[in-house]
Amino acid sequence: MAISPISGANGGSQAAFGLDFQSLLGIILTQLTYQDPLKPVDNFQFVSQLAQFSQLQQSQSLNDQITDLLAAQGASQATSLLGRTIDISASGSTLSGKVQSVSFTTGQPTVTIKTDSGQTISGVSIADISNVRL
């Protein structure tokens, strides 16, 4: 049976069918407890399953750490824009403005800028920025 990682509702990774690593180990232990003593599970197969589950847990842990690292990097990048003048593309033209604030309301950093004409534009995604000036 192949097990593929999916994201859980709480943001943590879980194995297929919503089971975490501890639940999968519980299934293996239950299998060992109720196995037929005349036909035990092959040792190689058992160790192979444990190794696969261990590898799955390590992969999920690494994935969670990379996700956290990317979020921290995005936050750092966004806050480094405070006070800088940026250019964004809007309706086919380029707008310039100074970054006034950074917001994380949607989980992704967005900035609020004030243009030279006094217009305030909020909710500008970092991906929409085409140029950063001092």
Side-chain angles (χ1 to χ4, degrees):
M1 173 171 88
I3 297 177
S4 60
I6 58 172
S7 292
N10 62 357
S13 295
Q14 294 183 341
F17 309 113
L19 298 175
D20 61 2
F21 183 72
Q22 294 299 329
S23 298
L24 293 172
L25 280 179
I27 290 171
I28 290 176
L29 290 175
T30 302
Q31 176 185 0
L32 287 174
T33 303
Y34 295 105
Q35 71 179 337
D36 183 356
L38 301 176
K39 296 179 188 174
V41 174
D42 180 30
N43 286 341
F44 179 76
Q45 180 184 6
F46 177 70
V47 171
S48 176
Q49 285 178 349
L50 283 178
Q52 288 174 348
F53 290 141
S54 177
Q55 216 173 21
L56 175 64
Q57 181 192 28
Q58 290 174 355
S59 295
Q60 290 172 344
S61 176
L62 181 61
N63 186 36
D64 291 343
Q65 291 172 357
I66 288 173
T67 300
D68 292 345
L69 179 63
L70 288 173
Q73 183 181 15
S76 176
Q77 183 181 25
T79 56
S80 71
L81 295 173
L82 284 170
R84 293 192 172 199
T85 302
I86 61 170
D87 296 333
I88 59 170
S89 297
S91 303
S93 64
T94 301
L95 293 174
S96 295
K98 194 171 201 173
V99 177
Q100 301 293 309
S101 66
V102 177
S103 173
F104 297 92
T105 55
T106 62
Q108 297 295 323
T110 58
V111 297
T112 299
I113 64 170
K114 188 168 191 173
T115 64
D116 295 333
S117 63
Q119 179 184 11
T120 301
I121 303 172
S122 60
V124 176
S125 172
I126 301 296
D128 295 336
I129 298 172
S130 59
N131 191 21
V132 179
R133 295 181 268 154
L134 292 177

